[in-house]
Amino acid sequence: MNDVTTEAGTTERLSPALRRAVGVVMIGASLSFLDSTIVNVAMHRLSVELHSGLGTVQWVVTAYLLALAAVIPFTGWAARRYGATRLYCAALVVFTIGSVLCACSTSVGMLIASRVLQGIGGGAIMPVGTIIWTARSSKAQMGRVMAFIAIPIILAPALGPVLGGLLVQGIGWRAIFWLNVPFGVAGVLLALWLLPRETGDDGGRLDVTGLTLASLGVVGITYGLAQLGAAAGLDTAASLALLVGLVSLAGFVTHALRAKQPLLDVRLYTNRAFTAASIATFALGAANYGGMILMPLYLQTVRGEGVIIAGLLVAPTAIGALIAAPFTDRYGAGITAFTGAAILALSTIPFVFLTATTPYWLLCTVMIMRGVGFGLSIIPAMAAAYQSLPPNKIPDATPQLNVLQRVGGAIGTAVLTVILTRQLSDHPTSAGQAEGYATTFWWVLAITIAAALPTLLLARTEHRARHRANTYTPEGGVDTVH
């Protein structure tokens, strides 16, 4: 567990500083990703106890996502300015305080405001945590470290509905937020104890124009997609938000190309490997998180299962991801990402034949395979993105990759929700609804195939690099031994 085998065949040990950084970062990442899904099962209970309609209570989820999306572009500059460890601790403190306020909320307005505060902290945790561990690892180690980081990225969202259902049913909805407090406090104390406290540097002048445009763009698109899914189609609010988001992002790109010290370096996309890895990260986020919402709904609406049982039946996806974790860095990031995307696509095919009586053992088996495919694709794709860049560009790349993954998941969720809603309205019977889910999974399959294409480019690029390394010696001569 402490060694990394490089392409040269040597073994590079993970330093104690790197192991400490990964352990601390995993605590915060687990909390951030868990709170993206754990509240979903409490919506009905919140509506009853806080005396508000579901349309209002929906903002408990949306507000967290909006705050999370808005703060991510700011993290790269703030980490350089104040030091990554300081910013990570501050993010965990804000997230924990927000959790306490959520648990103590006496009205839906207070709960929504507290979720905004929680999202501000949660949005900074993962990108700043990535900056912390990448600063302590070599390129050869990144695949292995990403295997550990994959645990909260994949496991937490999958287990969120299960854990949330157990807490809501056994204790009450406030327990969902109290759960974060001891782990948040422990994360802060461990970070202060185990991580070096960088003083930060000048960081340059904050690009306020870029921050405004980037935040408006990400928030506009995220809100527009959330509203798109809630309204089951385009309405005035969704259309306006998406328009503002797209125009703002276009303005941000134009500004970033002209500015001397832009908030984010969009010129990173001139690197073909980074661009391919970024597209793969976006599409895989859409395929996984968008597809993840379908099975719990199918199990509850078509099969009549309760929240807890439905969550438990989805859990095999996380098991598959854990099975894949040890293999994410053995054969190169590009090759592994393509293999994982192919497995993800193949394991999606059985879902397009869903019926109202599909055996549970078959569903669980296929979900394990999907977990393996996602674990072998998303983490190596992100590792390939980091490996394609010099270390000083990691703070610029990290928030961009995090935004792509989160927005990809939001797009997948919104689009598939619209498609599913239309399918279910046309098929009121149980058998017809099962057919509606099967039709929606055709779209999941299409998104997954689209995600596999850039990973193929990564695999080809990696293969050519290895071929050149095997053909030429360091001195520039031809190596005749093959």
Side-chain angles (χ1 to χ4, degrees):
M1 297 294 288
N2 295 337
D3 301 325
V4 173
T5 302
T6 65
E7 290 183 14
T10 60
T11 299
E12 184 176 352
R13 294 181 62 84
L14 299 185
S15 67
L18 177 56
R19 293 199 297 270
R20 290 193 296 269
V22 171
V24 172
V25 168
M26 285 178 65
I27 296 175
S30 297
L31 294 176
S32 177
F33 280 95
L34 185 66
D35 267 61
S36 297
T37 59
I38 194 172
V39 181
N40 294 356
V41 296
M43 300 303 293
H44 178 70
R45 183 72 63 86
L46 290 171
S47 178
V48 172
E49 295 194 14
L50 297 178
H51 310 291
S52 298
L54 285 176
T56 302
V57 173
Q58 177 65 31
W59 276 94
V60 173
V61 175
T62 305
Y64 179 82
L65 294 176
L66 292 178
L68 185 144
V71 76
I72 290 177
F74 174 75
T75 56
W77 176 87
R80 291 191 296 268
R81 176 65 178 85
Y82 300 105
T85 298
R86 288 182 177 180
L87 185 59
Y88 180 79
C89 291
L92 265 178
V93 168
V94 171
F95 179 87
T96 304
I97 293 174
S99 298
V100 172
L101 294 175
C102 285
C104 297
S105 295
T106 56
S107 67
V108 68
M110 180 179 177
L111 180 58
I112 292 172
S114 301
R115 283 284 281 176
V116 170
L117 183 63
Q118 192 186 39
I120 291 173
I125 287 174
M126 189 59 190
V128 178
T130 303
I131 292 172
I132 289 174
W133 71 255
T134 52
R136 293 159 176 80
S137 64
S138 66
K139 289 187 176 183
Q141 295 172 323
M142 286 185 178
R144 181 64 177 275
V145 175
M146 288 298 291
F148 293 112
I149 302 298
I151 296 175
I153 291 177
I154 301 172
L155 194 62
L159 295 182
V162 182
L163 186 57
L166 290 170
L167 291 173
V168 171
Q169 184 170 311
I171 303 176
W173 64 266
R174 299 180 191 276
I176 290 177
F177 302 109
W178 285 122
L179 177 69
N180 296 327
V181 176
F183 291 101
V185 172
V188 173
L189 294 177
L190 287 173
L192 293 174
W193 179 34
L194 298 176
L195 300 180
R197 305 182 194 180
E198 305 99 332
T199 57
D201 54 34
D202 179 32
R205 185 177 180 180
L206 176 61
D207 182 9
V208 178
T209 302
L211 177 61
T212 303
L213 290 172
S215 297
L216 274 176
V218 174
V219 170
I221 291 176
T222 303
Y223 172 76
L225 293 172
Q227 186 64 27
L228 183 71
L234 278 174
D235 62 2
T236 303
S239 301
L240 182 60
L242 289 173
L243 179 62
V244 170
L246 291 173
V247 171
S248 297
L249 281 184
F252 169 74
V253 172
T254 302
H255 168 77
L257 290 174
R258 296 176 178 176
K260 293 182 178 180
Q261 292 182 318
L263 181 71
L264 298 173
D265 185 3
V266 297
R267 291 182 176 84
L268 295 178
Y269 295 99
T270 59
N271 183 317
R272 291 181 61 190
F274 179 79
T275 300
S278 299
I279 295 173
T281 298
F282 174 84
L284 288 168
N288 184 67
Y289 292 105
M292 190 180 293
I293 197 176
L294 296 179
M295 283 311 298
L297 291 173
Y298 162 81
L299 292 168
Q300 293 178 72
T301 59
V302 178
R303 307 301 286 266
E305 299 292 352
V307 174
I308 296 177
I309 298 299
L312 290 172
L313 289 172
V314 175
T317 303
I319 296 174
L322 291 177
I323 293 173
F327 303 96
T328 55
D329 69 325
R330 291 193 179 184
Y331 306 102
I335 297 295
T336 305
F338 174 70
T339 302
I343 294 174
L344 190 62
L346 290 173
S347 60
T348 303
I349 294 176
F351 289 109
V352 305
F353 302 104
L354 269 180
T355 68
T357 58
T358 302
Y360 282 161
W361 66 264
L362 176 60
L363 293 177
C364 291
T365 301
V366 176
M367 280 189 282
I368 290 176
M369 292 178 60
R370 273 184 61 82
V372 170
F374 185 67
L376 290 178
S377 56
I378 184 66
I379 301 305
M382 294 179 72
Y386 292 128
Q387 290 171 352
S388 67
L389 300 174
N392 66 315
K393 294 297 182 181
I394 297 297
D396 286 307
T398 297
Q400 296 184 58
L401 290 172
N402 277 269
V403 167
L404 287 172
Q405 185 187 37
R406 298 296 181 102
V407 174
I411 288 178
T413 299
V415 170
L416 293 175
T417 299
V418 172
I419 295 171
L420 178 63
T421 301
R422 293 177 178 174
Q423 290 292 323
L424 295 182
S425 65
D426 295 335
H427 302 88
T429 65
S430 177
Q433 287 189 342
E435 182 181 346
Y437 280 96
T439 301
T440 307
F441 267 106
W442 277 107
W443 290 84
V444 178
L445 179 61
I447 296 172
T448 308
I449 292 174
L453 297 179
T455 63
L456 177 60
L457 176 61
L458 289 176
R460 291 184 60 187
T461 301
E462 188 174 83
H463 175 73
R464 290 173 180 173
R466 288 185 175 182
H467 179 71
R468 288 194 297 268
N470 291 334
T471 303
Y472 297 97
T473 65
E475 291 76 15
V478 177
D479 186 359
T480 57
V481 179
H482 298 284

